[in-house]
Amino acid sequence: ELKVEQNPLFLSMQEGKNYTIYCNYSTTSDRLYWYRQDPGKSLESLFVLLSNGAVKQEGRLMASLDTKARLSTLHITAAVHDLSATYFCGAPGGSRLTFGEGTQLTVNP
Amino acid sequence: EPEVTQTPSHQVTQMGQEVILRCVPISNHLYFYWYRQILGQKVEFLVSFYNNEISEKSEIFDDQFSVERPDGSNFTLKIRSTKLEDSAMYFCASSEGGGAEAFFGQGTRLTVV
C-alpha cells in the first residue's frame, strides 16, 4: 500500500523567511503532485512533477522531485501572508492519488 | 476554463437516510473519482471510475456506497444508509488518465445528524 508522509504537519513562519516542506512516498513513482487548500475550500493544483529531477517554480514556491529518493520538496522563498494555506502532496498508485496528511502553513506578519 | 462542478454544496441528512451527491466532471476527462475529507484531516480516496465501471476502491468504500454515471455528464455517489461518521467534505475529481493530475470540484459538505 502506498504511503505518503509530509513534514512538518504544522509550520508557522514569519513573512520574508524561507522554508521547505518535505514529502516522502513509499513506492516507485515517476510523478508527484502538489495541491493547495484554503480553509473550507477545494484542492487547487499547484505543481505537476513528471520525472526525476523535475523542478517547477511559480512565484515564491518551487517544487522538485527526486524519484530515486522518493522525495519531493516544496520550497517557500520570502514567505508572504497570502501563502497561508494547507499544502498536500499526492503520489499516484494505480488509478488513484494518495495524499499526505498536509502541511498547514501560517505566515505571520 | 473547464471545471468540475458539484451539487449540492451542503447537505444535512438524518442518520439512516440515503443521500446522493452529484458531480459533473470535465467533459474530455476519462477518469472520475470521489475523495472525502473529514474536518481537519487528510484527503482520503474512496473510488475511481473508468469506462463505466469501478476501477479501484478503498476499504472505506463498503457496501453502503455506490457510484453511477447515469448519463453522459453526471457522476454520482450514493450513500445508502448514512452514519454519523459519514459526515465529511466529499470531493469529486476527474483526470485525463489514471493517476494523472486530478482536478477537484468545490466539494459537498455532508452533515449527518
Side-chain angles (χ1 to χ4, degrees):
Chain A
E1 180 188 340
L2 174 59
K3 293 193 187 311
V4 181
E5 293 183 347
Q6 286 181 237
N7 73 83
L9 299 183
F10 299 94
L11 177 55
S12 181
M13 55 192 298
Q14 283 189 309
E15 280 190 330
K17 299 294 187 184
N18 304 331
Y19 209 84
T20 300
I21 299 169
Y22 298 88
C23 173
N24 290 92
Y25 53 96
S26 62
T27 65
T28 56
S29 175
D30 59 356
R31 289 170 287 157
L32 195 287
Y33 306 94
W34 284 95
Y35 288 82
R36 169 182 171 142
Q37 185 180 40
D38 292 297
K41 303 292 186 183
S42 185
L43 280 77
E44 174 192 352
S45 180
L46 283 178
F47 296 110
V48 177
L49 302 169
L50 294 176
S51 61
N52 186 40
V55 177
K56 294 272 184 81
Q57 182 160 6
E58 179 75 32
R60 300 172 189 274
L61 299 177
M62 184 173 71
S64 66
L65 178 61
D66 180 343
T67 58
K68 292 187 172 64
R70 300 178 188 174
L71 170 68
S72 180
T73 61
L74 181 65
H75 186 73
I76 304 151
T77 303
V80 293
H81 180 69
D82 285 353
L83 292 180
S84 297
T86 299
Y87 294 85
F88 291 93
C89 62
S95 61
R96 69 171 79 179
L97 287 185
T98 299
F99 289 95
E101 291 186 9
T103 297
Q104 187 176 318
L105 171 66
T106 304
V107 181
N108 304 303
Chain B
E1 184 177 325
E3 60 180 13
V4 177
T5 58
Q6 290 185 242
T7 54
S9 56
H10 191 188
Q11 173 130 17
V12 180
T13 189
Q14 287 200 324
M15 194 168 52
Q17 295 296 305
E18 174 184 287
V19 294
I20 297 176
L21 310 183
R22 302 180 192 280
C23 169
V24 179
I26 295 173
S27 61
N28 64 336
H29 284 184
L30 300 178
Y31 279 81
F32 316 127
Y33 311 89
W34 286 101
Y35 288 82
R36 80 171 185 191
Q37 185 179 34
I38 295 170
L39 187 62
Q41 297 188 23
K42 67 190 290 187
V43 179
E44 300 175 291
F45 170 79
L46 292 178
V47 66
S48 60
F49 192 86
Y50 170 72
N51 200 27
N52 283 319
E53 61 183 23
I54 290 174
S55 176
E56 199 173 343
K57 61 183 181 179
S58 72
E59 59 279 3
I60 302 169
F61 194 88
D62 61 21
D63 291 345
Q64 293 300 312
F65 292 88
S66 63
V67 289
E68 192 177 37
R69 187 154 163 84
D71 54 41
S73 58
N74 290 286
F75 179 52
T76 62
L77 174 69
K78 182 193 291 186
I79 309 175
R80 288 192 183 79
S81 177
T82 49
K83 309 184 191 71
L84 293 176
E85 54 265 37
D86 292 328
S87 296
M89 183 75 96
Y90 288 80
F91 291 108
C92 175
S94 68
S95 66
E96 292 181 348
E101 181 187 16
F103 294 84
F104 285 77
Q106 290 304 302
T108 294
R109 181 169 297 284
L110 177 65
T111 303
V112 183
V113 297

